[in-house]
Amino acid sequence: MEQLAVGWRAMVLDRDADADVRDLPGIAVRWADCRFAFWNCVTLTDVDADAALLEQRLCQAADIMRAKKHPGFLWLFEDLLDGEARAGLRSAAEKAGLEHAFPGVGMAGDLLPLPEPSHPDLTFVRVTTDEQLRAYADLNSRAYGFPLEDGRDGLVGSALWKERVHAYLGLRDGVPVTCAGAVEAAGRLFVVLVATAPERERKGYGEAVTRKALHEGARATGLTRATLHATAAGAPVYPRIGFRPNSPMHFYGLKG
C-alpha cells in the first residue's frame, strides 16, 4: 500500500501537476482524472480495519470516485482488514455502490541484483522517445482491454517515464511485443505497467522484460528490494524472478 501511495503520487503528478493527490484519514487519493484508468486511483490505508470502518471508508472512496470526470479504481489490500471485515467485504462494497473489477496480489522480494537477462526472440530497448512511449502505452492498452487513446493519454509526453522510470520495450523482429518498467519508490524498486501483446503471451516475454527493467534499475540505484502489484494473469510469472506474495488485492470500480 505504501509503495502504491508513494509511487503513484509521482506518476499522477507527472501526468497532471494539478491532479487530486491527497492523504485523508484512511484514504490515499491519487487521481489524475485522465482517460488512463490506472492513473485514477484511491486506496484504503487504515491498518487492521474492522467491518464498520471498512464500510465507512468504502462509502467515502465511492463518493470521491463519483465526483470525478473519468473512471478509475479503488485498490484494496486485503491484509489491511481484520477477519470480520474481510468476510463482509463483498457485501460492504456492493452497499457502497462498488463492483469488483479484477483481483490481484501484492508481491515483494530481496532479489536484486539480477543477472543480465536475455531472451532468444527479443531485443531490449529503453524507452527514451515519445514514439517508444506510445508503443509502451499501446501494449498496456491492448493487454488490459483499454482503447489505445486511453493509454496514450496517460503516458505520451511524460518526462518522468523517459528519464526516471527504467522502462523497457522487448522487440521481436523490430516490433514492440512486451514492456515493463521499474522506478525507485521509498527505497524499493517498484515494478509498473508490465504488459505483453495478447497474441504473444506464454512465451516468457513478460518475465524477460521485467528482469531487464529490474536489472537496469538495480544497476542504476543500488537497491536490492523490489515490489509490485500483479494481476491474476501475471501473478504466476513473478515468483520465478524471486518475488513472494504478501497480500491479496482487489480492484473495484463504480457500479455502471
Side-chain angles (χ1 to χ4, degrees), residues 103-107 144 194 207 228-245 247:
V105 60
M107 296 188 181
Y144 293 106
V194 179
E207 178 181 346
L228 59 80
H229 303 133
T231 62
V237 170
Y238 301 112
R240 297 198 292 265
I241 301 175
F243 287 94
R244 294 292 176 264
S247 178

Side-chain angles (χ1 to χ4, degrees), residues 155-242:
L155 290 173
V156 174
S158 167
L160 182 147
W161 273 81
K162 290 179 286 187
E163 297 168 7
R164 287 176 47 199
V165 180
H166 302 276
Y168 282 84
L169 294 170
L171 310 183
R172 176 171 173 165
D173 299 325
V175 177
V177 295
T178 192
C179 63
V183 64
E184 185 172 357
R188 310 284 189 268
L189 275 182
F190 188 28
V191 176
V192 287
L193 299 189
V194 179
T196 298
E199 71 276 10
R200 300 292 188 180
E201 292 178 345
R202 296 179 177 82
K203 299 179 183 293
Y205 293 173
E207 178 181 346
V209 76
T210 301
R211 286 180 178 273
K212 178 64 174 177
L214 285 167
H215 171 78
E216 297 296 344
R219 190 166 70 168
T221 64
L223 295 173
T224 60
R225 187 167 178 81
T227 59
L228 59 80
H229 303 133
T231 62
V237 170
Y238 301 112
R240 297 198 292 265
I241 301 175

